[in-house]
Amino acid sequence: MSQPTPVSISATAPNPPNDLPRVLGASHAMAIVVGTIIGSGIFLVPSEMMSAVGSSGLVYLAWIVGGLLSLFGAMTYAELGSMMPYAGGEYVYLRGAYGDRTGFLYMWTWFAVAKPASIASVTSGLARTLGIFAVFHWLDTQAIGGPLPVMWSQIFAIAMTWLITGLNYLGIKKAGDFQVVFTALKAVLILIVVGFCFTSALGSWGNFATSLPHATGGLNGFMIALIATLWAYDGWNDLTMVAGEVKQPEKNLPFALIGGLFVVGVLFMATNAAIQYILPAAQVAASPRPAVAALSVVAGPAGAALVAAGMALSIFVTLNGTIMSGARIPFAAARDRLFFPKFAQVHPRFKSPAYSLIVQALLSTVLLLTLGQFQKLFELAVFSEWLFYMLTATTVFIYRRRHPEMARPYRVWGYPVLPAVFVLSAAVVLYSSFVGDLLGSLIGTVLILLGLPLYEWIHRKYKSALA
């Protein structure tokens, strides 16, 4: 049985000849956190949250609790990331704490299931959002007939996958610059939406006192709303996967993880407040896209178009962060001789994990062609993501006990309480996702376990290299 190691093998040489360059600054790191988190969630989940809890006060309580729990996770990851700032993020922490097999299963899950499903769901969501505009109505029509029909929306989603993959292929600096510019534009659009709402004479502070009598209510309703906020906040962990390319990671990783979540929290709360200033509780709950409905009241079709454009831009920037981070995980495992060597290749000119990026795009393309439905793609990723969030957060306790000598430029505040709270909350979300989608969770479990025979084969094949 393989023994746990304190750090990834790929990290033992500070500047190996085929390493990924550290070219991302603090602004890039912050943009990866903010830009990856803010997707379509903030524009969609207020409806689900209001239907679940029925009052403005409880909606905000869910936003605050979800934000704090995400912050506790980010603070925990900040300690791990500043201690081991290497490509692969969670893979590195899990392998060091629990050994090769656990590290491999994490890599396998992200490589084969979670990241391709996330990319496919993001691009499907982008196509669905653009379908709001009349000029994009063709996305809802069939492109290829036959026993396995293909919609134009699927072809569009595949094209977007390869477009952003190509950007990342040209180097993380270009992809990082893209992330900075368009994350800033995304934030400006959100603030414009908020400004339109709060300066409108059609709004009323009285809407915050309205309620929804037939909401789910109780603890069950609050948990539904809380899980919706956690989904909206999801993506902050992606920065750790590109930690090997961040300059001064001991400072920039904690700054971006913690500061980025504060920025996101402010934007989320402001957007939610703007929606409720315009719409009473019943209308928020009844609208599938509350932000679009609010701007339609304020500025008519032009306002709805502005929100739809903001949603599309948000999703597009999230896609860049998701593709960027996902390719680093199999790259790191291959560097450790725990995956096929080609995944460790660095492009000689662009200094990107080129092979890993291409295979990731191919897997996402397969999912887009075979599953196609947004909800199925999303559910496929949820269970496996929260399982490994929980496991990764537990490693901070193991490293504190087993390796007290390791340098920790940042130590999570409130240890051990705050990391423990995050682990317990992740366990609750994991249980809820398992019960809520039993079939999808079982499929996710089977897909994870399918990595075991592959691990045994790869471990035997490269055993001499590991010795």
Side-chain angles (χ1 to χ4, degrees):
M1 182 177 177
S2 57
Q3 295 299 313
T5 50
V7 294
S8 171
I9 291 173
S10 62
T12 56
N15 291 296
N18 63 334
D19 204 5
L20 299 172
R22 290 192 181 273
V23 294
L24 298 177
S27 61
H28 297 107
M30 179 72 81
I32 290 170
V33 174
V34 176
T36 304
I37 293 175
I38 302 178
S40 61
I42 181 54
F43 300 103
L44 303 175
V45 298
S47 173
E48 181 181 353
M49 293 172 69
M50 185 61 76
S51 297
V53 297
S55 72
S56 175
L58 288 175
V59 165
Y60 283 105
L61 180 61
W63 276 118
I64 293 168
V65 173
L68 286 174
L69 291 177
S70 299
L71 180 62
F72 297 164
M75 291 166 67
T76 303
Y77 275 46
E79 175 170 325
L80 296 167
S82 64
M83 186 170 61
M84 294 171 285
Y86 312 123
E90 292 158 314
Y91 158 79
V92 176
Y93 320 146
L94 286 166
R95 179 174 176 257
Y98 296 121
D100 290 347
R101 186 174 284 104
T102 303
F104 179 88
L105 287 178
Y106 167 85
M107 181 280 302
W108 164 254
T109 303
W110 245 242
F111 165 75
V113 184
K115 277 299 179 181
S118 294
I119 292 167
S121 66
V122 168
T123 51
S124 295
L126 177 61
R128 191 173 65 167
T129 300
L130 289 175
I132 296 172
F133 296 100
V135 70
F136 286 107
H137 283 175
W138 55 272
L139 289 172
D140 294 325
T141 62
Q142 191 177 93
I144 302 173
L148 293 174
V150 176
M151 304 294 289
W152 277 111
S153 59
Q154 291 170 269
I155 294 176
F156 174 82
I158 291 168
M160 291 300 99
T161 298
W162 284 98
L163 174 66
I164 300 299
T165 296
L167 174 64
N168 279 269
Y169 187 96
L170 296 176
I172 196 169
K173 182 62 165 61
K174 289 183 174 61
D177 290 342
F178 172 94
Q179 192 80 359
V180 169
V181 171
F182 286 94
T183 296
L185 181 57
K186 178 196 297 194
V188 169
L189 276 174
I190 290 174
L191 292 174
I192 289 173
V193 168
V194 171
F196 266 125
C197 289
F198 278 117
T199 56
S200 172
L202 299 173
S204 171
W205 293 108
N207 286 333
F208 290 89
T210 60
S211 61
L212 190 69
H214 303 296
T216 304
L219 181 60
N220 184 44
F222 186 76
M223 288 305 300
I224 292 172
L226 178 60
I227 290 172
T229 67
L230 291 173
W231 174 67
Y233 278 111
D234 195 29
W236 48 265
N237 61 311
D238 281 19
L239 176 62
T240 66
M241 300 173 192
V242 299
E245 293 151 279
V246 175
K247 295 184 286 189
Q248 296 183 290
E250 69 282 355
K251 294 193 301 184
N252 289 335
L253 285 175
F255 167 75
L257 282 168
I258 298 169
L261 266 171
F262 273 110
V263 171
V264 170
V266 169
L267 292 174
F268 277 4
M269 297 284 278
T271 304
N272 197 86
I275 292 169
Q276 292 196 356
Y277 182 70
I278 299 298
L279 304 176
Q283 290 186 35
V284 173
S287 174
R289 290 183 289 267
V292 174
L295 260 291
S296 296
V297 171
V298 171
L306 175 65
V307 176
M311 288 173 63
L313 179 64
S314 294
I315 295 169
F316 199 53
V317 180
T318 296
L319 176 62
N320 183 54
T322 302
I323 288 175
M324 179 194 300
S325 59
R328 270 66 187 174
I329 302 168
F331 167 82
R335 292 280 295 272
D336 292 336
R337 305 294 192 270
L338 286 179
F339 206 41
F340 302 108
K342 287 185 74 68
F343 283 87
Q345 290 180 354
V346 176
H347 194 283
R349 178 182 174 187
F350 302 124
K351 301 299 180 183
S352 61
Y355 188 84
S356 186
L357 282 163
I358 290 171
V359 175
Q360 177 179 258
L362 285 170
L363 291 173
S364 302
T365 300
V366 170
L367 282 182
L368 283 164
L369 288 173
T370 55
L371 291 180
Q373 294 183 24
F374 174 81
Q375 190 63 27
K376 287 183 180 179
L377 294 168
F378 172 69
E379 290 171 354
L380 192 61
V382 170
F383 173 75
S384 53
E385 286 182 351
W386 280 98
L387 171 63
F388 286 109
Y389 285 166
M390 181 181 68
L391 285 178
T392 301
T394 64
T395 67
V396 74
F397 303 107
I398 293 174
Y399 286 113
R400 286 279 189 113
R401 186 185 72 251
R402 190 185 294 162
H403 297 288
E405 79 287 352
M406 293 181 73
R408 290 172 171 80
Y410 171 84
R411 287 176 175 264
V412 56
W413 180 83
Y415 178 90
V417 176
L418 297 193
V421 169
F422 179 76
V423 170
L424 290 174
S425 64
V428 171
V429 174
L430 183 64
Y431 173 78
S432 298
S433 68
F434 193 92
V435 173
D437 181 27
L438 183 59
L439 178 60
S441 298
L442 289 174
I443 292 172
T445 303
V446 170
L447 289 171
I448 292 171
L449 296 177
L450 283 175
L452 284 173
L454 180 60
Y455 165 78
E456 297 300 335
W457 181 80
I458 287 178
H459 195 263
R460 284 197 302 270
K461 184 175 178 62
Y462 300 113
K463 190 173 184 179
S464 60
L466 286 166

